[in-house]
Each structure stands twice: as structure tokens, then as C-alpha cells.
Amino acid sequence: MRSAWLLSALLVPALLFSQSSALVQGRVVERTEDGQIRPVVGASIYWLGTRVGTVADTVGRFQLAFPDRGGRLIVSNVGYRADTLTISEPRVLRVTLVAEASEVEGVNVVGQRAPSFIEYRAATNTVVMTEKELFKAACCNLSESFETNPSVDVSFTDAVTGTRQIEMLGLAGTYSQITLENMPAVRGLASNVGLTYIPGSWIDNIQVSKGVGSVANGYESITGQINVEYRKPWNEAEQRVYLTMFGTDDQRFELNGNLRTSLGEHLSSLTMVNMDTRRVSMDRNGDRFLDAPIGTAAHVLQRLTLHDYDGLEAQVLVQYTSDEKRNGTMHGIDMDHLALGADPMQYRYRMKGHQLRITGKTGYVFADEGRSIGLQWSYADHRTSTTLQHREYAGRERTGYLNLLYDAEIEPGVHRLRGGVSLLVDDYDERVFGVDEARIERVPGAFLEYTFSSGEDLSIVAGLRGDRHNLFGSFVTPRLHVRYAPDINWTLRLSAGRGQRTANIYAENLALFASSRTPVLEGFASGLAYQREAGWNVGLSATRYVTVNGREGTIVIDLHRTTFDDQLVVNLDRDARTVVFQPLTGSSFSNSAQAEMNIQPWERLEVRTAYRYLDVRQTVDGRLRDRPYVAKHRAFVNLAYATQPDDDGSGRMAFDLTVSWFGSKRLPETSTSPLPYRRPSSSPSFFQVNGQVTRTLMANLDLYVGVENLFDFRQSDPIISATDPSNVYFDSSIIWGPVQGRMIYGGVRWRM
């Protein structure tokens, strides 16, 4: 009843806005070398002789108020020839920009958008990963989408569950706000599996921002924000049908189908279906445990979008996921409780998850210049159950979210205000190892954000939001972003602000219970299964635009410091037989420094290199120590080369190679364990090499083959006491490197 009432309340506001306005709107696109239409993200659109303008969004779409007498509209972007259009009446446009080209002594020089790029005019330090970037590697879901991004680390949490986690600035991905089209997505009880609930073939682009985000998106980002944009039904760059197939040598298979349909002049639809399965048990390292979980995941999405071209836009998205996984010893994986009790040498892991997500947006641009109002809403129902040998966990989280925004230009192109109110409700029901836990979190809030722009040189975004949490009380979230470009070759950015989140102690640390460790809660009220975490982040970045052999490149240096006022400490060092959860009673911080270079030294060859240093420490039992599993040093190289396609778009070959080096990591203390169950205090450094070759058979058909972990590097003996899971020192969670060996894969992408 409670869920039904909340869902009904969220659906009603979608009917609120309906007026008419005078607008020029449309999309900015380019025609690629293989004949496909692609959006030009971040293109500038403005009226000649005025300061009235806008920027194309992530699908190239724009809206601009129409002046009384019309005028000349300028459309431009770096690397493209500017286009000028004479507009005498409100209309819908499709502007096709042409990449800049010139003949220099018979050599044809062509400019084109890089697969990943920094949003030049954005005040935030944001990298946009386009579809072209995602195609460089086996991107089956969001957790596997960052192999070619040096700012985000991805690793397995343990050797049993197969759960992948991401890290930014040396801290767990839970400190990064992960949103789906700027609405909360991977959080709460879904934080440990939610990345796998976003199929890679559904993603149009990913925006990775370091540091705190906008106050309009909430208060939860501390180290950064990862925003995922799904494919859009109105995007003409999308073919009507998109099919993908993927398979690996360890018999994991994936099938995906997207169908885009026009339901009339103003209504469009997109249906996406994805299935991922692995059914064959394998134990290539001979430790009796499966190398990877087996199981099946199915994802279905339906979205509808309404454009009336008079300022009104509305969309609804419904997504459902069903996920089932199993792992353990080769003989124990299918055993029940009675059989496991009779044979303690066996082990089993089972997980079932179901998630329903319904989201919507309604927006209206007023007829008078520079004002708009929008409503974002979502409802999510996430259910999960996990069995780790004889330990059982079950949880359900129902989330409702409302965000009403009002945006107004005080002085066109100079001063802008954005404000609004929000409501976030989380209803938790958990059963943790036989004990029931339930709570409701209600967080109403309000925010105001001011933007100042001085041409291309200076942008300042200052935001403040206040929220009232029914469990933690009232709190204020200030945030500041500054962008300064002293000349066309340099861009400097500063970010600072506060973030806060709720840590779900058991749900976010389930991988630690793939062991014999006993959970201990210290400093909490009896039965408390959550903890407030709050911290500050300050960042500074410098981007230098360079030219190498006539081609634009970038060198980026960024520095970030994160400090925590409140934090959940996961103490793995006191005793190898326990995991102690306790509130922070000292200092905790992360210092991050990264240098990255993106250049094209020769035509069609893209080179990305990066080096990162991390100093991440936390007070544990009164001692300030390096945080475990964090590599202080990491180096990265990505090479991408593509041949010239034939005139019909076929015949193109693309080669991608990624080499990553990870320095030594501190490991949890095992020095008090008996000798056979001890591990070194730190891990060795190691390299990991991935490669892929793609062949375009025809304009819309790609065939690719690749390899991950080319040299088959694996962490030896990842499971302590693998021969006897009933041993008090059994532990599969001390993972510092790859637990799976070389993987060979192949796939097909076909647009029709």
C-alpha cells in the first residue's frame, strides 16, 4: 500500500505543464567517416551579435528562445566548420557540422571528436566517454566500462561472489554519486551489484566528474559523479534496430536487442532487452572453487518520449532486472544446508536480485527568454537475497525521489540562477544473519545555484543546499566550481564542497562475509546497520591544449584532497578472524595527483598516457595507516589506431591496446594467524594488458575479437584455506589482483 501510494504520487506531476512558446530547437550532428550520424556534444549555438546562446546536450539537442525579429544563428564547435543560418520564424532544425579539413601539400588533414574529451566550457572537471570509447573494450555492463579510463579503477572484491567495485581518488565507488540521466541510481542496497544492472549496449555516453557535483543533483557525491546517459528514442543517430552478441572462451554469452520506434510526430519509443548468462563451471587454477560465478541476468527497458516543439517535453522510463548467480566448490555449489552440514569441505554461494525502476522527467521552456521549469521523479524497488555457506542476508529497499527545478537567466549569457526543492525517501527492510533490521530515511531539501559567465574566460558556479534528515538532523551542503581560461591554450578549474551519504554496513560489505570472519560492531547503538559518512573535497586541475603534427591534444594535471568528518571504518587488521565496523575516531583522508596526456602523433593514431599517485590513510584502532588495497602508484597507456574505411563505410580496421601497471598495495594484517594462513603485508606490483581488433564488414556491421589479461597474470592462492572452508581462517576477500586468467572474447554489433 505504501509503495502504491508513493508511485501514484510520483506519476501525477507529469501532467502539470502545457503552454506554448516561441523556440528554435533541434539537433547538431556530424556524418562520420563510415557514414553514420553522430551527435556533436557541446556544440555552441548563439544568436549573432548577442550574448544569448546555449550548448548542445549529450545527444546534440538544443533549445533557444526565438527573438521577435529572428536573426542569424551561429553553430560551432572545436574541430568543425562553423555554420550560420538565417532564421525568420520558430522552427525545428537539424544542423550537420563538417569536420575541419584542409589540403597541405597534398595531405588531407581532418579534425574529429576524440572518443573521450573534456567538456571545454564546463566549470566541472568532466570527461565524456562516448560510444566510440566504450567500443574499445569488452563493455558488457557499467562495471566493465572503465578499462580505458585512467581515473576510475575496477577490481573484484573477493574470489567467490564475482562482485566488481570501482574506485575514484583512491576511495570506494560508494563515495562517488552514480546517476542515471542525473537521477540517483547505484546506491543503497544496490551499491554492490547496481553497476552490473546497467548493460553496456544501452549506454550512449558516460560523464565522469572528479570532485563534488552540482547541488541540483543532491548531496551524496564526495569524490566525484558518474552520470550514465542511456540511448535516446529521438536520436536520429540511432538506427531503428541495434543487435549485439558477445561470447568468451569461458562460455559467458550475452545477447542484446534495441528497437527504436516513432509513434507519431511528437512521440517516440525505445525498447531494449539484454540477457547475460554463464552456465559452465570451470576451475582452471585447481583450488576446487569455480573461477567465476555461473548464472543468468535479464534486463528489460521501455522508454517513451514526448516532444511537442512548443517548449514541453516529457519522458517515462521503466526498467526491470532479474539476476541469479551461484558459486562455490565444484561439488558444493548445488548442495543444500543439510548436505553442506554433512560435508564441511564444500562451500556454496547463491544470490538472487530483482530491481524495478521507473523514472520520469517533465520540462517546459517559457516563451520569454531564458526561463524553464522541470520535474524529475523516480521510484525503485530493489530486492536481494544472498547465501554465503550458512550465512544468509536478505534486503529490500524502496526509494522515491522528487526533484523540482527552476532555471532563469538574470542577464543572458552572464548571470543565471537555478533553484528547487527535492524529496528523497528510502524504505529499508533487511534480515542480517537471522536478525531483522528496518528503517525509513526521509530527506526533504532545497537548493540554490548561481552561475556567472564572462565570455569564454571565466565561469563560476556557486551552490548551496539545505536538507533535513529524519535520522541525522539538518545539514548544509556548500559547493563551488570555478573555471578560468587565461588564453586559448590553458584552462584552470577549481572545485570545493561537502558531501554526505548513508553507509549500509552489511549490504556494502557482503564480500567480506565470503570468509569465516565474525562481524563485530563497536561504537554503535545495538543493532544499528547504518552509519552517516560526511566529507569535504577540494580539487584543482590544469588543462593545456597542445598541437602535435597539426592535431589537437591535451595535457591534464589534477590534484584532489578528500577529508572525512564522519566515516565508517572497516577494520580488517585487528584480527584475521574478525571484521570490526566502527565509527571514525581520528583523521581520514585521500590525496590524489594525476597527470594525463591525450595526443595524436600521427594520423589515425590516438595515444593516452597517465600516471597517478595516491596517499590514502585512515585512523584504525588509534593508528593512522594506509588504507588497504590501494596502489600508491599507477601508470596507464592506451593506443588506438584505425584504418581509412572504404567509400561505402566498410573495410575499416580498428586496433586498441591498453597497458596498466599497478604498484604495491598494503594488505590486511594476517601476522597473528598460523603460518599456513598468513599472507604478505603488501602485494607485488603487476602489469595487465588488454587488446582488441575490430573489423567493419559493412557500414553498420562490426565484428570484434579481443583478449583481457593477455599474459594470464593471476593472484596465486586467492582463497585462504580453500581446501577447508570450515576453518576459522578461511577467507576469500584478500584480493589485490586479477583472480581470473586470460579471457578471449568476440562479438558482433549490427545496426539496421
Side-chain angles (χ1 to χ4, degrees):
M1 178 65 69
R2 180 169 47 190
S3 299
W5 179 89
L6 179 59
L7 182 57
S8 299
L10 292 175
L11 287 170
V12 170
L15 305 175
L16 287 179
F17 312 109
S18 58
Q19 301 182 38
S20 62
S21 64
L23 293 171
V24 171
Q25 54 187 312
R27 297 185 64 248
V28 184
V29 299
E30 66 166 328
R31 184 176 295 277
T32 63
E33 296 175 348
D34 56 6
Q36 299 187 34
I37 300 297
R38 290 282 181 267
V40 179
V41 181
S44 295
I45 305 99
Y46 63 94
W47 294 107
L48 182 65
T50 75
R51 304 185 74 173
V52 178
T54 187
V55 175
D57 64 14
T58 54
V59 294
R61 188 182 54 187
F62 68 90
Q63 289 183 336
L64 199 59
F66 178 74
D68 292 339
R69 299 180 181 178
R72 301 182 71 187
L73 192 68
I74 309 297
V75 184
S76 64
N77 201 42
V78 177
Y80 299 87
R81 296 175 184 168
D83 198 359
T84 303
L85 300 92
T86 300
I87 309 296
S88 59
E89 61 182 358
R91 53 188 291 200
V92 179
L93 306 171
R94 190 176 87 164
V95 183
T96 303
L97 292 184
V98 178
E100 294 233 286
S102 60
E103 290 288 334
V104 182
E105 296 182 356
V107 179
N108 188 36
V109 181
V110 179
Q112 58 180 322
R113 174 69 81 183
S116 288
F117 60 91
I118 299 173
E119 290 191 349
Y120 177 74
R121 295 170 181 84
T124 56
N125 183 11
T126 301
V127 174
V128 179
M129 300 172 59
T130 67
E131 180 186 72
K132 186 178 178 181
E133 183 70 39
L134 300 178
F135 283 173
K136 288 183 177 182
C139 171
C140 295
N141 57 62
L142 183 59
S143 72
E144 300 171 326
S145 300
F146 302 101
E147 300 292 343
T148 60
N149 186 306
S151 298
V152 181
D153 286 337
V154 182
S155 61
F156 287 103
T157 60
D158 63 279
V160 172
T161 68
T163 302
R164 289 176 180 252
Q165 68 175 5
I166 65 170
E167 293 182 354
M168 286 186 68
L169 308 184
L171 294 168
T174 50
Y175 297 113
S176 300
Q177 186 179 28
I178 302 177
T179 57
L180 180 58
E181 301 188 347
N182 286 311
M183 287 191 282
V186 182
R187 56 183 301 278
L189 301 188
S191 59
N192 64 330
V193 295
L195 295 172
T196 64
Y197 288 2
I198 301 178
S201 52
W202 294 6
I203 298 174
D204 181 77
N205 68 80
I206 303 173
Q207 301 147 22
V208 180
S209 303
K210 292 183 180 180
V212 292
S214 168
V215 293
N217 294 329
Y219 53 82
E220 292 185 321
S221 69
I222 298 177
T223 59
Q225 179 177 344
I226 297 174
N227 181 55
V228 178
E229 292 287 334
Y230 276 162
R231 299 180 184 275
K232 307 295 191 292
W234 66 83
N235 187 358
E236 296 178 11
E238 293 286 341
Q239 298 292 330
R240 185 172 181 271
V241 178
Y242 179 41
L243 298 177
T244 66
M245 292 178 286
F246 172 85
T248 69
D249 62 337
D250 61 355
Q251 301 194 44
R252 174 187 174 186
F253 299 100
E254 179 181 310
L255 178 65
N256 183 87
N258 300 351
L259 176 64
R260 187 174 71 91
T261 307
S262 175
L263 302 178
E265 183 180 358
H266 304 299
L267 187 64
S268 54
S269 164
L270 179 63
T271 304
M272 298 191 286
V273 179
N274 178 278
M275 179 168 286
D276 183 354
T277 185
R278 179 188 276 120
R279 286 295 179 184
V280 178
S281 303
M282 291 188 177
D283 175 23
R284 291 187 285 192
N285 65 354
D287 65 357
R288 303 190 313 125
F289 281 76
L290 273 67
D291 296 329
I294 60 175
T296 299
H299 314 269
V300 180
L301 180 145
Q302 176 64 56
R303 71 183 305 173
L304 297 171
T305 301
L306 172 67
H307 292 280
D308 72 352
Y309 300 123
D310 285 322
L312 177 68
E313 177 183 324
Q315 58 178 291
V316 176
L317 182 152
V318 181
Q319 178 179 345
Y320 179 75
T321 292
S322 176
D323 187 19
E324 176 267 330
K325 288 185 175 66
R326 294 179 296 144
N327 202 347
T329 55
M330 294 291 287
H331 297 295
I333 187 172
D334 294 318
M335 286 184 172
D336 57 22
H337 280 291
L338 291 176
L340 284 172
D343 189 353
M345 307 301 287
Q346 305 303 326
Y347 190 90
R348 72 164 184 175
Y349 158 73
R350 291 183 181 177
M351 189 280 292
K352 291 184 179 180
H354 302 274
Q355 186 181 87
L356 172 67
R357 177 178 299 277
I358 307 174
T359 66
K361 295 181 181 180
T362 303
Y364 178 74
V365 180
F366 291 91
D368 58 317
E369 184 178 294
R371 291 194 302 134
S372 64
I373 188 170
L375 177 68
Q376 301 172 330
W377 57 267
S378 69
Y379 171 79
D381 187 349
H382 177 79
R383 291 172 291 159
T384 183
S385 62
T386 300
T387 299
L388 290 159
Q389 195 69 332
H390 300 296
R391 289 172 167 169
E392 293 187 351
Y393 170 86
R396 184 178 186 183
E397 178 186 6
R398 285 158 288 187
T399 300
Y401 174 72
L402 288 170
N403 195 30
L404 180 65
L405 304 97
Y406 179 77
D407 191 301
E409 279 191 325
I410 302 172
E411 181 180 346
V414 181
H415 304 287
R416 177 182 291 273
L417 276 178
R418 180 165 63 158
V421 294
S422 65
L423 175 64
L424 179 64
V425 180
D426 287 304
D427 185 352
Y428 293 96
D429 287 295
E430 295 178 90
R431 185 169 181 81
V432 184
F433 312 150
V435 178
D436 291 327
E437 301 278 354
R439 74 181 191 276
I440 296 178
E441 297 185 29
R442 302 183 188 91
V443 192
F447 59 89
L448 184 66
E449 189 174 75
Y450 165 72
T451 301
F452 170 79
S453 299
S454 176
E456 295 284 326
D457 300 336
L458 179 65
S459 299
I460 301 174
V461 181
L464 182 70
R465 68 174 295 133
D467 295 271
R468 172 69 180 179
H469 198 293
N470 64 308
L471 300 178
F472 303 131
S474 300
F475 59 96
V476 176
T477 305
R479 291 179 180 174
L480 175 69
H481 296 90
V482 179
R483 172 190 173 275
Y484 176 59
D487 58 48
I488 61 173
N489 296 318
W490 283 96
T491 301
L492 307 177
R493 290 180 174 88
L494 169 71
S495 67
R498 181 184 186 274
Q500 177 172 315
R501 65 177 297 271
T502 301
N504 292 279
I505 294 177
Y506 293 105
E508 294 175 13
N509 294 282
L510 276 177
L512 297 177
F513 302 113
S515 69
S516 294
R517 289 181 182 264
T518 300
V520 177
L521 272 66
E522 286 188 357
F524 298 101
S526 178
L528 190 66
Y530 58 94
Q531 161 73 18
R532 180 178 73 170
E533 296 189 301
W536 295 81
N537 183 280
V538 178
L540 177 65
S541 71
T543 302
R544 168 70 175 177
Y545 294 90
V546 298
T547 301
V548 179
N549 290 335
R551 300 172 185 85
E552 185 180 271
T554 58
I555 299 174
V556 183
I557 298 176
D558 60 63
L559 308 172
H560 286 268
R561 178 174 174 85
T562 307
T563 58
F564 287 92
D565 298 327
D566 299 291
Q567 190 180 28
L568 173 67
V569 175
V570 181
N571 185 346
L572 300 172
D573 295 307
R574 182 180 299 179
D575 188 332
R577 293 178 294 177
T578 63
V579 50
V580 181
F581 300 102
Q582 53 194 166
L584 179 67
T585 56
S587 64
S588 177
F589 61 84
S590 167
N591 295 321
S592 171
Q594 179 171 306
E596 179 179 343
M597 180 177 67
N598 292 270
I599 60 172
Q600 295 186 50
W602 296 283
E603 185 178 357
R604 303 189 176 280
L605 175 64
E606 299 167 357
V607 178
R608 179 180 304 148
T609 62
Y611 167 78
R612 188 184 63 216
Y613 171 78
L614 294 172
D615 178 19
V616 186
R617 285 182 271 179
Q618 185 181 62
T619 302
V620 181
D621 286 340
R623 179 183 174 189
L624 187 63
R625 308 193 63 178
D626 288 336
R627 194 180 180 103
Y629 304 119
V630 175
K632 282 185 174 291
H633 304 276
R634 185 191 173 192
F636 171 97
V637 177
N638 174 256
L639 305 176
Y641 178 78
T643 65
Q644 177 73 36
D646 298 335
D647 293 339
D648 61 358
S650 65
R652 180 176 180 269
M653 295 287 293
F655 305 88
D656 295 282
L657 179 69
T658 302
V659 181
S660 297
W661 175 79
F662 299 87
S664 178
K665 307 175 184 180
R666 186 182 83 80
L667 302 180
E669 289 282 357
T670 57
S671 58
T672 59
S673 302
L675 189 60
Y677 310 122
R678 294 180 189 175
R679 290 295 184 266
S681 60
S682 62
S683 71
S685 61
F686 65 92
F687 283 92
Q688 191 160 7
V689 180
N690 301 332
Q692 181 177 288
V693 178
T694 303
R695 170 74 173 182
T696 301
L697 300 180
M698 60 180 69
N700 294 314
L701 178 61
D702 291 338
L703 175 67
Y704 62 93
V705 293
V707 58
E708 290 188 354
N709 197 359
L710 175 64
F711 297 110
D712 201 27
F713 177 82
R714 282 179 280 184
Q715 178 180 337
S716 60
D717 298 324
I719 301 177
I720 298 176
S721 188
T723 58
D724 183 8
S726 65
N727 190 303
V728 294
Y729 294 99
F730 169 76
D731 196 342
S732 71
S733 66
I734 301 183
I735 301 300
W736 50 263
V739 294
Q740 298 179 9
R742 181 189 302 111
M743 182 187 77
I744 300 172
Y745 64 87
V748 176
R749 295 186 289 261
W750 191 12
R751 291 181 167 92
M752 293 179 282

